[in-house]
Amino acid sequence: MSSTPPPPDRPRPLRTAAVIPAAGRGIRLGPGAPKALRVLGGTPMLIHAVRAMAASRAVSLVVVVAPPDGAPEVKHLLDEHALPERTDYLVVPGGDTRQESVGLGLDALPEDVSVVLVHDAARPLVPVDTVDAVVEAVRNGALAVVPALPLADTVKEVEPAAVAGEPEPVLSTPVRARLRAVQTPQGFDRDTLVRAHAEVALDGEGATDDAGMVERLGKPVVVVPGHEEAFKVTRPLDLVLAEAVLARRRANDGF
């Protein structure tokens, strides 16, 4: 027996999309290709990050924000690598700052996207369970969600030295139990994130944390557990650690 088609006026289910800003050069990794295009286990980190988002069945669209003059190269890169067929992909040129690039990614989203993830291309190994936890929290009503981990180290607030390398006076010691190290993907109600990008002015190099922009609107942000493998690849030692994690995954899971 054939199923009865839904009434024409029934609204379509709303979608979840991920925006990956990948327009930065990542100078702390040294000279060479932009950070997102550095190779990890024989595959560019950007591809790992896209696959990490697409691994979630909740994510039906991934928008990659490329360097302003590099969109064709990034599009070719995505076409060269096997990606899940159930997920759509879109590449758009970015801006001069991360804040501008995320805004351009938001502008490219279809109208039926209601939940938006913003993910660092430099966090290529975030597990799918973390992605799903962020999406679920937004779908359950949170306006902004960040995955985060408790800090292992004691943190000091200091007065920055005028000259690099000089001793810096300690101002305070925050209570470590109340501190978290924030990761991505960060998840948002789309309208809330769009409003944040419209109302929070670009200042200097721009915001590097979209949840912080939502906080500036006076809206609540909640935390869900992050994962130790969702670390950011910023320095050469991080790349060594990422290679080790990837090798362990391939040995254990055939990843």
Side-chain angles (χ1 to χ4, degrees):
M1 180 182 296
S2 62
S3 59
T4 303
D9 58 346
R10 177 179 295 179
R12 291 179 297 171
L14 297 177
R15 302 168 69 194
T16 295
V19 174
I20 302 180
R25 294 208 59 84
I27 57 175
R28 281 176 288 183
L29 274 177
K35 183 192 300 183
L37 302 185
R38 297 296 179 93
V39 172
L40 172 61
T43 301
M45 282 202 294
L46 175 60
I47 299 300
H48 287 288
V50 171
R51 287 173 174 168
M53 296 300 98
S56 171
R57 293 188 174 274
V59 176
S60 61
L61 171 66
V62 177
V63 177
V64 177
V65 188
D69 58 352
E73 177 187 1
V74 171
K75 176 65 167 59
H76 179 70
L77 189 69
L78 292 176
D79 290 342
E80 281 186 324
H81 291 82
L83 300 168
E85 293 183 359
R86 67 173 181 271
T87 306
D88 295 328
Y89 305 92
L90 182 63
V91 178
V92 298
D96 294 330
T97 68
R98 184 184 187 280
Q99 183 173 340
E100 291 176 317
S101 292
V102 173
L104 291 166
L106 291 176
D107 291 342
L109 295 178
E111 291 184 1
D112 62 349
V113 170
S114 62
V115 177
V116 181
L117 304 180
V118 181
H119 184 57
D120 295 331
R123 296 183 190 271
L125 300 178
V126 58
V128 67
D129 288 350
T130 302
V131 181
D132 288 341
V134 172
V135 174
E136 181 179 7
V138 179
R139 289 182 171 179
N140 286 340
L143 296 180
V145 180
V146 295
L149 293 175
L151 296 183
D153 298 321
T154 297
V155 176
K156 301 287 186 182
E157 180 185 4
V158 303
E159 182 65 41
V163 178
E166 288 189 350
E168 298 174 323
V170 171
L171 301 179
S172 68
T173 304
V175 179
R176 188 173 63 182
R178 300 183 62 185
L179 300 177
R180 298 291 183 271
V182 172
Q183 302 176 325
T184 68
Q186 298 184 354
F188 304 91
D189 163 73
R190 177 186 180 162
D191 292 341
T192 300
L193 185 57
V194 168
R195 180 186 164 196
H197 275 265
E199 296 187 14
V200 176
L202 184 66
D203 182 18
E205 295 183 357
T208 59
D209 177 61
D210 293 274
M213 296 174 67
V214 172
E215 290 175 47
R216 291 173 64 177
L217 295 181
K219 300 297 183 182
V221 177
V222 300
V223 167
V224 297
H227 196 281
E228 60 183 7
E229 293 182 1
F231 62 90
K232 190 172 186 179
V233 178
T234 302
R235 298 174 176 84
L237 185 58
D238 300 325
L239 195 56
V240 173
L241 178 58
E243 291 279 5
V245 171
L246 187 59
R248 185 185 67 186
R249 284 187 182 182
R250 287 174 170 169
N252 294 342
D253 307 324
F255 173 80

